[in-house]
Amino acid sequence: MTNRKMFFTMLWGAVFRRRSRAMMAVIASLVGAATLFCLASVCVAVPQQMNEEMRAYGANLIVTPASATGKSQGIDTATVRNVTALIGAGRSVKSAAYRYESVRINSAPYTIAGVDVKAVRALNRHWNVTGDWPGSGNVMVGRDVADALGVKVGSRVTIGYRAADASASASSSASAKSDSDESTETAESSAQGTQSTQTTQGEQTTQATENGRVSSDIMDNNGTEFRIAGIVDTGGNEDSIIYATTADVSKLAGHERGADVVEYSVNAMGDELNAIVNRINKNTNTAVKAQTVTRITSSDTRIIAMLQTLFWIVSLVVLVLTLVGVGTTISSIVSQRRNEIGLRKALGADSRAIGVEFYVESGIYGLIGGLLGTAIGYVLARVLCATVFGRAIGFDWLLSAGSLLLSVAIAVIASIPPVRRATRIDPAIVLREE
């Protein structure tokens, strides 16, 4: 019998003749592999899953005009398409454009936003709307506006547009769309530039008083009558805005122009999202300025950082417990085979050959435990993601290979102390005890 055949024969006997001990070592590796693979799978999937879930709560990036000319004319449709293409390269993206104007209802100033209803509805699925969304001749008002006016769904209001009020139209509403100091400042400056131009246009247009679109008298209550189709309640600044279709706002103001703010919900976060912002800002052809919405991005980053920290803490604990479990089992096996080791050394076996046999035996335990643990860990991760996020998780082959290698490595490392003790056994003492 060759040395190699003898080695595998002894290894086979060592593993299968002591099934109870071998089972304990396999179970220790299995538990560690299952826990680590489950946590790693969830940790890899959660950022993406959470990012997709957070996209239902509004935009994480906004774009405003960068130049004075752009602020007066707004962001035109062609620019919006170009920026959207730049942002959406290889990733999911939703967008909605907002045109803000200052209007008066019962001589009180309010802000009206001209929107594409379909786009805004898809972007802000978290909005709580009572009634319907805006339509032709119908507006949707924020909860604060409805309470101030004492109106409800189905009521009618007369909205008047005054060019003299234009300089203040988007200042407050832009902050509702950004929720960050930098974004608010940019949106406000954009709105002010836009409205100053509208003032000039209003002064030069003598027929703009038709249909109540322009009034020079602060107490003039003339205007266009709209039906309140719905009331939106978000708990945020959206509650102080009136929403109408872009066509109705253009008709009310007496002229068409581009959007003051374009919101984007991008399937990106952290450094990737910042890279998108930098790429837009460096592109002088678009003539727009981009910034992230701090409220959304900071929440994403904070929650994911907490989950990853928890993952590393639990992983460290599991690694230690696995090392202890496998090390204890191997120590027990070495103790049981103490006489066999002494006899083999007396017959001429060197310490290196004995050590290799124990390391390979430990590696086999780790491999079997890793295979079973990876399968169980994937099932657990799949159930967890389906329960929490309502979505399935795919099998990560690279992660599974890492799990197997780690299981084998942990088993071998855990066996080093007992194997070193086994190789230092004095055969004379062992045989004398016999």
Side-chain angles (χ1 to χ4, degrees), residues 206-237:
T206 59
Q207 70 273 22
T209 57
E210 295 179 3
N211 298 323
R213 289 197 294 263
V214 176
S215 174
S216 60
D217 186 354
I218 192 170
M219 298 304 294
D220 189 349
N221 292 325
N222 293 329
T224 303
E225 187 177 72
F226 289 90
R227 176 182 174 273
I228 296 178
I231 299 175
V232 58
D233 188 355
T234 67
N237 291 331

PDB file of all heavy atoms in Angstrom, residues 206-237:
ATOM      1  N   THR A 206     -49.802  94.739 -22.009  1.00  0.00           N
ATOM      2  CA  THR A 206     -50.971  95.489 -21.553  1.00  0.00           C
ATOM      3  C   THR A 206     -52.207  94.621 -21.482  1.00  0.00           C
ATOM      4  O   THR A 206     -53.096  94.861 -20.666  1.00  0.00           O
ATOM      5  CB  THR A 206     -51.226  96.663 -22.506  1.00  0.00           C
ATOM      6  OG1 THR A 206     -51.435  96.167 -23.826  1.00  0.00           O
ATOM      7  CG2 THR A 206     -50.052  97.628 -22.488  1.00  0.00           C
ATOM      8  N   GLN A 207     -52.289  93.580 -22.306  1.00  0.00           N
ATOM      9  CA  GLN A 207     -53.483  92.768 -22.308  1.00  0.00           C
ATOM     10  C   GLN A 207     -53.437  91.645 -21.286  1.00  0.00           C
ATOM     11  O   GLN A 207     -54.318  90.809 -21.255  1.00  0.00           O
ATOM     12  CB  GLN A 207     -53.717  92.161 -23.704  1.00  0.00           C
ATOM     13  CG  GLN A 207     -52.719  91.077 -24.098  1.00  0.00           C
ATOM     14  CD  GLN A 207     -51.495  91.653 -24.746  1.00  0.00           C
ATOM     15  OE1 GLN A 207     -51.193  92.842 -24.553  1.00  0.00           O
ATOM     16  NE2 GLN A 207     -50.790  90.854 -25.513  1.00  0.00           N
ATOM     17  N   ALA A 208     -52.419  91.623 -20.411  1.00  0.00           N
ATOM     18  CA  ALA A 208     -52.289  90.525 -19.454  1.00  0.00           C
ATOM     19  C   ALA A 208     -53.314  90.578 -18.351  1.00  0.00           C
ATOM     20  O   ALA A 208     -53.341  89.714 -17.497  1.00  0.00           O
ATOM     21  CB  ALA A 208     -50.889  90.539 -18.849  1.00  0.00           C
ATOM     22  N   THR A 209     -54.151  91.581 -18.312  1.00  0.00           N
ATOM     23  CA  THR A 209     -55.173  91.669 -17.278  1.00  0.00           C
ATOM     24  C   THR A 209     -56.414  90.870 -17.640  1.00  0.00           C
ATOM     25  O   THR A 209     -57.330  90.759 -16.846  1.00  0.00           O
ATOM     26  CB  THR A 209     -55.585  93.139 -17.046  1.00  0.00           C
ATOM     27  OG1 THR A 209     -56.043  93.692 -18.282  1.00  0.00           O
ATOM     28  CG2 THR A 209     -54.416  93.943 -16.513  1.00  0.00           C
ATOM     29  N   GLU A 210     -56.443  90.307 -18.824  1.00  0.00           N
ATOM     30  CA  GLU A 210     -57.616  89.563 -19.237  1.00  0.00           C
ATOM     31  C   GLU A 210     -57.728  88.272 -18.456  1.00  0.00           C
ATOM     32  O   GLU A 210     -56.727  87.624 -18.128  1.00  0.00           O
ATOM     33  CB  GLU A 210     -57.532  89.251 -20.741  1.00  0.00           C
ATOM     34  CG  GLU A 210     -57.586  90.502 -21.603  1.00  0.00           C
ATOM     35  CD  GLU A 210     -57.474  90.159 -23.073  1.00  0.00           C
ATOM     36  OE1 GLU A 210     -57.411  88.947 -23.379  1.00  0.00           O
ATOM     37  OE2 GLU A 210     -57.447  91.076 -23.879  1.00  0.00           O
ATOM     38  N   ASN A 211     -58.972  87.859 -18.161  1.00  0.00           N
ATOM     39  CA  ASN A 211     -59.244  86.629 -17.421  1.00  0.00           C
ATOM     40  C   ASN A 211     -58.633  86.638 -16.035  1.00  0.00           C
ATOM     41  O   ASN A 211     -58.367  85.581 -15.457  1.00  0.00           O
ATOM     42  CB  ASN A 211     -58.735  85.407 -18.202  1.00  0.00           C
ATOM     43  CG  ASN A 211     -59.432  85.249 -19.530  1.00  0.00           C
ATOM     44  OD1 ASN A 211     -60.635  85.522 -19.641  1.00  0.00           O
ATOM     45  ND2 ASN A 211     -58.687  84.837 -20.546  1.00  0.00           N
ATOM     46  N   GLY A 212     -58.347  87.812 -15.515  1.00  0.00           N
ATOM     47  CA  GLY A 212     -57.838  87.911 -14.148  1.00  0.00           C
ATOM     48  C   GLY A 212     -56.435  87.427 -13.974  1.00  0.00           C
ATOM     49  O   GLY A 212     -56.019  87.102 -12.875  1.00  0.00           O
ATOM     50  N   ARG A 213     -55.652  87.348 -15.030  1.00  0.00           N
ATOM     51  CA  ARG A 213     -54.314  86.788 -14.899  1.00  0.00           C
ATOM     52  C   ARG A 213     -53.346  87.762 -14.273  1.00  0.00           C
ATOM     53  O   ARG A 213     -52.393  87.357 -13.638  1.00  0.00           O
ATOM     54  CB  ARG A 213     -53.810  86.344 -16.269  1.00  0.00           C
ATOM     55  CG  ARG A 213     -54.517  85.103 -16.809  1.00  0.00           C
ATOM     56  CD  ARG A 213     -53.725  84.488 -17.929  1.00  0.00           C
ATOM     57  NE  ARG A 213     -53.664  85.359 -19.086  1.00  0.00           N
ATOM     58  CZ  ARG A 213     -54.462  85.252 -20.134  1.00  0.00           C
ATOM     59  NH1 ARG A 213     -55.392  84.320 -20.161  1.00  0.00           N
ATOM     60  NH2 ARG A 213     -54.335  86.065 -21.159  1.00  0.00           N
ATOM     61  N   VAL A 214     -53.535  89.047 -14.468  1.00  0.00           N
ATOM     62  CA  VAL A 214     -52.644  90.044 -13.900  1.00  0.00           C
ATOM     63  C   VAL A 214     -53.490  91.130 -13.252  1.00  0.00           C
ATOM     64  O   VAL A 214     -54.484  91.575 -13.816  1.00  0.00           O
ATOM     65  CB  VAL A 214     -51.734  90.668 -14.982  1.00  0.00           C
ATOM     66  CG1 VAL A 214     -50.876  91.767 -14.375  1.00  0.00           C
ATOM     67  CG2 VAL A 214     -50.863  89.604 -15.614  1.00  0.00           C
ATOM     68  N   SER A 215     -53.099  91.530 -12.064  1.00  0.00           N
ATOM     69  CA  SER A 215     -53.819  92.594 -11.378  1.00  0.00           C
ATOM     70  C   SER A 215     -52.824  93.502 -10.701  1.00  0.00           C
ATOM     71  O   SER A 215     -51.885  93.046 -10.068  1.00  0.00           O
ATOM     72  CB  SER A 215     -54.775  92.022 -10.332  1.00  0.00           C
ATOM     73  OG  SER A 215     -55.355  93.062  -9.576  1.00  0.00           O
ATOM     74  N   SER A 216     -53.008  94.808 -10.825  1.00  0.00           N
ATOM     75  CA  SER A 216     -52.126  95.766 -10.171  1.00  0.00           C
ATOM     76  C   SER A 216     -52.667  96.188  -8.826  1.00  0.00           C
ATOM     77  O   SER A 216     -52.003  96.892  -8.078  1.00  0.00           O
ATOM     78  CB  SER A 216     -51.940  96.991 -11.076  1.00  0.00           C
ATOM     79  OG  SER A 216     -53.207  97.597 -11.317  1.00  0.00           O
ATOM     80  N   ASP A 217     -53.861  95.755  -8.504  1.00  0.00           N
ATOM     81  CA  ASP A 217     -54.492  96.123  -7.239  1.00  0.00           C
ATOM     82  C   ASP A 217     -54.398  94.944  -6.280  1.00  0.00           C
ATOM     83  O   ASP A 217     -54.875  93.852  -6.580  1.00  0.00           O
ATOM     84  CB  ASP A 217     -55.952  96.507  -7.474  1.00  0.00           C
ATOM     85  CG  ASP A 217     -56.612  97.051  -6.204  1.00  0.00           C
ATOM     86  OD1 ASP A 217     -55.961  97.001  -5.150  1.00  0.00           O
ATOM     87  OD2 ASP A 217     -57.764  97.503  -6.300  1.00  0.00           O
ATOM     88  N   ILE A 218     -53.802  95.178  -5.129  1.00  0.00           N
ATOM     89  CA  ILE A 218     -53.600  94.082  -4.176  1.00  0.00           C
ATOM     90  C   ILE A 218     -54.922  93.526  -3.666  1.00  0.00           C
ATOM     91  O   ILE A 218     -55.016  92.390  -3.228  1.00  0.00           O
ATOM     92  CB  ILE A 218     -52.719  94.550  -2.994  1.00  0.00           C
ATOM     93  CG1 ILE A 218     -52.254  93.354  -2.169  1.00  0.00           C
ATOM     94  CG2 ILE A 218     -53.494  95.536  -2.096  1.00  0.00           C
ATOM     95  CD1 ILE A 218     -51.227  93.694  -1.153  1.00  0.00           C
ATOM     96  N   MET A 219     -55.991  94.329  -3.726  1.00  0.00           N
ATOM     97  CA  MET A 219     -57.297  93.874  -3.249  1.00  0.00           C
ATOM     98  C   MET A 219     -58.173  93.341  -4.378  1.00  0.00           C
ATOM     99  O   MET A 219     -59.342  93.041  -4.169  1.00  0.00           O
ATOM    100  CB  MET A 219     -58.022  95.026  -2.541  1.00  0.00           C
ATOM    101  CG  MET A 219     -57.301  95.546  -1.307  1.00  0.00           C
ATOM    102  SD  MET A 219     -56.984  94.243  -0.094  1.00  0.00           S
ATOM    103  CE  MET A 219     -58.666  93.841   0.370  1.00  0.00           C
ATOM    104  N   ASP A 220     -57.626  93.243  -5.565  1.00  0.00           N
ATOM    105  CA  ASP A 220     -58.394  92.744  -6.694  1.00  0.00           C
ATOM    106  C   ASP A 220     -58.554  91.238  -6.565  1.00  0.00           C
ATOM    107  O   ASP A 220     -57.566  90.500  -6.556  1.00  0.00           O
ATOM    108  CB  ASP A 220     -57.661  93.088  -7.993  1.00  0.00           C
ATOM    109  CG  ASP A 220     -58.513  92.791  -9.224  1.00  0.00           C
ATOM    110  OD1 ASP A 220     -59.566  92.138  -9.065  1.00  0.00           O
ATOM    111  OD2 ASP A 220     -58.118  93.226 -10.319  1.00  0.00           O
ATOM    112  N   ASN A 221     -59.779  90.764  -6.456  1.00  0.00           N
ATOM    113  CA  ASN A 221     -60.050  89.338  -6.275  1.00  0.00           C
ATOM    114  C   ASN A 221     -60.435  88.650  -7.571  1.00  0.00           C
ATOM    115  O   ASN A 221     -60.901  87.508  -7.556  1.00  0.00           O
ATOM    116  CB  ASN A 221     -61.164  89.139  -5.240  1.00  0.00           C
ATOM    117  CG  ASN A 221     -60.726  89.538  -3.852  1.00  0.00           C
ATOM    118  OD1 ASN A 221     -59.566  89.356  -3.498  1.00  0.00           O
ATOM    119  ND2 ASN A 221     -61.642  90.109  -3.061  1.00  0.00           N
ATOM    120  N   ASN A 222     -60.296  89.354  -8.687  1.00  0.00           N
ATOM    121  CA  ASN A 222     -60.626  88.737  -9.965  1.00  0.00           C
ATOM    122  C   ASN A 222     -59.615  87.637 -10.291  1.00  0.00           C
ATOM    123  O   ASN A 222     -58.480  87.658  -9.849  1.00  0.00           O
ATOM    124  CB  ASN A 222     -60.631  89.781 -11.082  1.00  0.00           C
ATOM    125  CG  ASN A 222     -61.755  90.778 -10.913  1.00  0.00           C
ATOM    126  OD1 ASN A 222     -62.816  90.431 -10.374  1.00  0.00           O
ATOM    127  ND2 ASN A 222     -61.536  92.007 -11.353  1.00  0.00           N
ATOM    128  N   GLY A 223     -60.052  86.713 -11.098  1.00  0.00           N
ATOM    129  CA  GLY A 223     -59.152  85.642 -11.490  1.00  0.00           C
ATOM    130  C   GLY A 223     -59.894  84.557 -12.233  1.00  0.00           C
ATOM    131  O   GLY A 223     -61.011  84.747 -12.711  1.00  0.00           O
ATOM    132  N   THR A 224     -59.268  83.398 -12.301  1.00  0.00           N
ATOM    133  CA  THR A 224     -59.848  82.233 -12.978  1.00  0.00           C
ATOM    134  C   THR A 224     -60.372  81.262 -11.927  1.00  0.00           C
ATOM    135  O   THR A 224     -59.685  80.962 -10.948  1.00  0.00           O
ATOM    136  CB  THR A 224     -58.805  81.547 -13.863  1.00  0.00           C
ATOM    137  OG1 THR A 224     -58.286  82.496 -14.789  1.00  0.00           O
ATOM    138  CG2 THR A 224     -59.399  80.374 -14.607  1.00  0.00           C
ATOM    139  N   GLU A 225     -61.549  80.757 -12.149  1.00  0.00           N
ATOM    140  CA  GLU A 225     -62.163  79.847 -11.178  1.00  0.00           C
ATOM    141  C   GLU A 225     -61.700  78.413 -11.441  1.00  0.00           C
ATOM    142  O   GLU A 225     -61.699  77.941 -12.579  1.00  0.00           O
ATOM    143  CB  GLU A 225     -63.691  79.926 -11.258  1.00  0.00           C
ATOM    144  CG  GLU A 225     -64.387  79.133 -10.153  1.00  0.00           C
ATOM    145  CD  GLU A 225     -65.894  79.261 -10.191  1.00  0.00           C
ATOM    146  OE1 GLU A 225     -66.511  78.689 -11.109  1.00  0.00           O
ATOM    147  OE2 GLU A 225     -66.448  79.949  -9.314  1.00  0.00           O
ATOM    148  N   PHE A 226     -61.318  77.753 -10.352  1.00  0.00           N
ATOM    149  CA  PHE A 226     -60.903  76.351 -10.422  1.00  0.00           C
ATOM    150  C   PHE A 226     -61.703  75.538  -9.411  1.00  0.00           C
ATOM    151  O   PHE A 226     -62.099  76.045  -8.360  1.00  0.00           O
ATOM    152  CB  PHE A 226     -59.408  76.197 -10.106  1.00  0.00           C
ATOM    153  CG  PHE A 226     -58.495  76.725 -11.176  1.00  0.00           C
ATOM    154  CD1 PHE A 226     -58.061  78.044 -11.145  1.00  0.00           C
ATOM    155  CD2 PHE A 226     -58.072  75.901 -12.208  1.00  0.00           C
ATOM    156  CE1 PHE A 226     -57.214  78.533 -12.123  1.00  0.00           C
ATOM    157  CE2 PHE A 226     -57.228  76.387 -13.190  1.00  0.00           C
ATOM    158  CZ  PHE A 226     -56.794  77.708 -13.153  1.00  0.00           C
ATOM    159  N   ARG A 227     -61.875  74.291  -9.743  1.00  0.00           N
ATOM    160  CA  ARG A 227     -62.511  73.355  -8.810  1.00  0.00           C
ATOM    161  C   ARG A 227     -61.428  72.613  -8.038  1.00  0.00           C
ATOM    162  O   ARG A 227     -60.416  72.206  -8.610  1.00  0.00           O
ATOM    163  CB  ARG A 227     -63.386  72.360  -9.553  1.00  0.00           C
ATOM    164  CG  ARG A 227     -64.009  71.278  -8.671  1.00  0.00           C
ATOM    165  CD  ARG A 227     -64.821  70.288  -9.492  1.00  0.00           C
ATOM    166  NE  ARG A 227     -65.294  69.191  -8.667  1.00  0.00           N
ATOM    167  CZ  ARG A 227     -64.610  68.080  -8.414  1.00  0.00           C
ATOM    168  NH1 ARG A 227     -63.391  67.920  -8.923  1.00  0.00           N
ATOM    169  NH2 ARG A 227     -65.124  67.124  -7.648  1.00  0.00           N
ATOM    170  N   ILE A 228     -61.618  72.445  -6.744  1.00  0.00           N
ATOM    171  CA  ILE A 228     -60.655  71.700  -5.923  1.00  0.00           C
ATOM    172  C   ILE A 228     -60.956  70.212  -6.069  1.00  0.00           C
ATOM    173  O   ILE A 228     -61.965  69.711  -5.578  1.00  0.00           O
ATOM    174  CB  ILE A 228     -60.731  72.126  -4.446  1.00  0.00           C
ATOM    175  CG1 ILE A 228     -60.321  73.603  -4.318  1.00  0.00           C
ATOM    176  CG2 ILE A 228     -59.823  71.239  -3.589  1.00  0.00           C
ATOM    177  CD1 ILE A 228     -60.400  74.130  -2.909  1.00  0.00           C
ATOM    178  N   ALA A 229     -60.065  69.531  -6.777  1.00  0.00           N
ATOM    179  CA  ALA A 229     -60.264  68.105  -7.034  1.00  0.00           C
ATOM    180  C   ALA A 229     -59.766  67.243  -5.885  1.00  0.00           C
ATOM    181  O   ALA A 229     -60.288  66.141  -5.649  1.00  0.00           O
ATOM    182  CB  ALA A 229     -59.550  67.706  -8.321  1.00  0.00           C
ATOM    183  N   GLY A 230     -58.748  67.709  -5.169  1.00  0.00           N
ATOM    184  CA  GLY A 230     -58.190  66.899  -4.095  1.00  0.00           C
ATOM    185  C   GLY A 230     -57.386  67.728  -3.120  1.00  0.00           C
ATOM    186  O   GLY A 230     -57.064  68.896  -3.376  1.00  0.00           O
ATOM    187  N   ILE A 231     -57.084  67.120  -1.982  1.00  0.00           N
ATOM    188  CA  ILE A 231     -56.278  67.752  -0.941  1.00  0.00           C
ATOM    189  C   ILE A 231     -55.129  66.806  -0.609  1.00  0.00           C
ATOM    190  O   ILE A 231     -55.343  65.625  -0.312  1.00  0.00           O
ATOM    191  CB  ILE A 231     -57.121  68.029   0.327  1.00  0.00           C
ATOM    192  CG1 ILE A 231     -58.270  68.993  -0.003  1.00  0.00           C
ATOM    193  CG2 ILE A 231     -56.249  68.609   1.437  1.00  0.00           C
ATOM    194  CD1 ILE A 231     -59.233  69.218   1.160  1.00  0.00           C
ATOM    195  N   VAL A 232     -53.892  67.320  -0.663  1.00  0.00           N
ATOM    196  CA  VAL A 232     -52.718  66.510  -0.379  1.00  0.00           C
ATOM    197  C   VAL A 232     -52.224  66.818   1.029  1.00  0.00           C
ATOM    198  O   VAL A 232     -52.161  67.977   1.447  1.00  0.00           O
ATOM    199  CB  VAL A 232     -51.598  66.758  -1.415  1.00  0.00           C
ATOM    200  CG1 VAL A 232     -51.184  68.224  -1.447  1.00  0.00           C
ATOM    201  CG2 VAL A 232     -50.385  65.880  -1.130  1.00  0.00           C
ATOM    202  N   ASP A 233     -51.887  65.766   1.754  1.00  0.00           N
ATOM    203  CA  ASP A 233     -51.425  65.900   3.136  1.00  0.00           C
ATOM    204  C   ASP A 233     -50.169  65.058   3.304  1.00  0.00           C
ATOM    205  O   ASP A 233     -50.230  63.825   3.358  1.00  0.00           O
ATOM    206  CB  ASP A 233     -52.522  65.431   4.100  1.00  0.00           C
ATOM    207  CG  ASP A 233     -52.189  65.723   5.558  1.00  0.00           C
ATOM    208  OD1 ASP A 233     -51.069  66.194   5.804  1.00  0.00           O
ATOM    209  OD2 ASP A 233     -53.043  65.485   6.418  1.00  0.00           O
ATOM    210  N   THR A 234     -49.008  65.712   3.358  1.00  0.00           N
ATOM    211  CA  THR A 234     -47.731  64.998   3.506  1.00  0.00           C
ATOM    212  C   THR A 234     -47.042  65.287   4.833  1.00  0.00           C
ATOM    213  O   THR A 234     -46.088  64.605   5.184  1.00  0.00           O
ATOM    214  CB  THR A 234     -46.766  65.390   2.372  1.00  0.00           C
ATOM    215  OG1 THR A 234     -46.399  66.770   2.516  1.00  0.00           O
ATOM    216  CG2 THR A 234     -47.402  65.187   1.011  1.00  0.00           C
ATOM    217  N   GLY A 235     -47.508  66.326   5.532  1.00  0.00           N
ATOM    218  CA  GLY A 235     -46.823  66.730   6.748  1.00  0.00           C
ATOM    219  C   GLY A 235     -45.604  67.584   6.463  1.00  0.00           C
ATOM    220  O   GLY A 235     -44.873  67.958   7.390  1.00  0.00           O
ATOM    221  N   GLY A 236     -45.362  67.907   5.190  1.00  0.00           N
ATOM    222  CA  GLY A 236     -44.210  68.714   4.814  1.00  0.00           C
ATOM    223  C   GLY A 236     -44.629  70.006   4.156  1.00  0.00           C
ATOM    224  O   GLY A 236     -45.801  70.425   4.215  1.00  0.00           O
ATOM    225  N   ASN A 237     -43.690  70.646   3.455  1.00  0.00           N
ATOM    226  CA  ASN A 237     -43.971  71.921   2.814  1.00  0.00           C
ATOM    227  C   ASN A 237     -44.916  71.810   1.630  1.00  0.00           C
ATOM    228  O   ASN A 237     -45.436  72.823   1.154  1.00  0.00           O
ATOM    229  CB  ASN A 237     -42.656  72.570   2.367  1.00  0.00           C
ATOM    230  CG  ASN A 237     -41.824  73.020   3.551  1.00  0.00           C
ATOM    231  OD1 ASN A 237     -42.369  73.347   4.599  1.00  0.00           O
ATOM    232  ND2 ASN A 237     -40.514  73.022   3.383  1.00  0.00           N
TER     233      ASN A 237
END
